[in-house]
Amino acid sequence: RRLSKTEYVSGFTESIEEVSWFNDPEFGFLFGFWLADGHVTKHGIAMTFGFTEKDADAKQRIEKYLGSLGKAYSIQSSADKCETLYMNDTHLSRWLVHNVRLGYPGGKQIPDFVYNLSIESITNIVAGYYHGDGYIDKNGGKGGQIRANSVCPELTYGIAKLCELLGLPYHIRYTRKKEIAQCVKGRETTSKKQLEIRLKDNVREVLGFDIDNGEQMKLRVQIQDGFVWR
């Protein structure tokens, strides 16, 4: 269904236009990628693209979409050898804060109304998510599979629910069952529990990923300053 400018979503409502973004199925891809590798800024949203073929494809698709809307954006290279796309939209940023972002680092959820969107929109959301956080394991199972890891159980199970709507069987497991404290370059950090969601059956037909050879998710590796950046 089409969404009005005033829409109740997760107990929060505003008479603004950001929810109507979802009336365009192509926005689903941007939203899915943002769920994987995005964050909100004071004036809009930001998405980070790494050195992989899939990230390059996703970046090109999102730039084309924003260009078709005449939406201004900028791209900056960051210190960790990635690129970050910034788009100013205060209303969208505020809506994401109230309805999608959770109260801990990396915490996100999928609003309930998303599960009632068109199949095309839901397909694009899942495809965008796997372009952001996924990778192809061509030796996994018989004929390959795609995997995505997250420290956010709400998001993992939300993606799983979308997969159910698309007829995509999934498997979820913990790849890290407990938090791990570690020291990186003199800084103490905590690695949170981590979940992985795997897809295998119907992936080619529904999402278009070639899980047999993994070329679409092939890493672009850069060696600099004694590190392998990917």
Side-chain angles (χ1 to χ4, degrees):
R1 65 187 178 88
R2 294 186 65 82
L3 301 167
S4 64
K5 294 180 181 180
T6 304
E7 185 85 19
Y8 282 94
V9 182
S10 300
F12 182 77
T13 183
E14 281 195 276
S15 297
I16 49 180
E17 297 186 7
E18 73 283 343
V19 175
S20 65
W21 278 89
F22 287 92
N23 289 327
D24 185 345
E26 187 62 19
F27 177 71
F29 186 86
L30 183 151
F31 180 65
F33 193 92
W34 182 87
L35 287 172
D37 277 331
H39 62 277
V40 294
T41 66
K42 183 177 181 180
H43 300 292
I45 64 173
M47 292 167 284
T48 300
F49 302 90
F51 285 93
T52 65
E53 296 293 340
K54 69 180 177 67
D55 279 31
D57 292 342
K59 176 171 168 284
Q60 184 180 38
R61 180 171 175 176
I62 290 172
E63 284 188 277
K64 181 178 179 180
Y65 171 62
L66 295 177
S68 72
L69 300 177
K71 196 73 177 175
Y73 62 89
S74 63
I75 296 178
Q76 299 178 15
S77 298
S78 55
D80 58 0
K81 315 306 177 186
C82 295
E83 292 180 315
T84 302
L85 183 150
Y86 295 92
M87 182 191 76
N88 286 344
D89 191 310
T90 304
H91 294 322
L92 180 59
S93 172
R94 183 169 55 180
W95 182 84
L96 289 168
V97 167
H98 283 274
N99 294 281
V100 179
R101 194 177 71 177
L102 298 176
Y104 63 90
K108 295 173 183 173
Q109 64 181 349
I110 297 176
D112 290 341
F113 79 90
V114 171
Y115 303 113
N116 295 318
L117 294 177
S118 69
I119 290 298
E120 184 180 2
S121 292
I122 292 173
T123 300
N124 286 342
I125 291 171
V126 175
Y129 180 76
Y130 273 93
H131 267 82
D133 262 353
Y135 67 96
I136 290 177
D137 177 7
K138 63 182 180 181
N139 297 316
K142 296 181 180 179
Q145 58 189 349
I146 57 174
R147 305 183 181 191
N149 293 287
S150 176
V151 298
C152 178
E154 294 90 346
L155 180 56
T156 297
Y157 285 102
I159 293 295
K161 187 173 180 178
L162 293 178
C163 289
E164 288 181 7
L165 296 173
L166 297 177
L168 291 170
Y170 61 85
H171 173 70
I172 296 176
R173 70 181 184 114
Y174 273 102
T175 52
R176 186 165 54 238
K177 295 184 177 181
K178 61 181 181 180
E179 295 187 353
I180 301 174
Q182 53 188 340
C183 184
V184 179
K185 294 185 177 180
R187 296 177 57 186
E188 291 187 2
T189 63
T190 300
S191 297
K192 296 182 176 294
K193 295 179 181 179
Q194 183 172 270
L195 287 163
E196 178 184 73
I197 178 170
R198 301 179 182 181
L199 304 180
K200 173 180 171 57
D201 295 336
N202 304 330
V203 169
R204 300 177 191 83
E205 296 81 1
V206 177
L207 300 180
F209 288 118
D210 185 354
I211 58 176
D212 291 323
N213 59 48
E215 289 182 358
Q216 190 169 4
M217 295 188 176
K218 183 179 179 181
L219 289 171
R220 294 184 293 156
V221 177
Q222 177 178 335
I223 301 176
Q224 186 172 334
D225 302 328
F227 294 91
V228 175
W229 303 95
R230 60 178 191 169

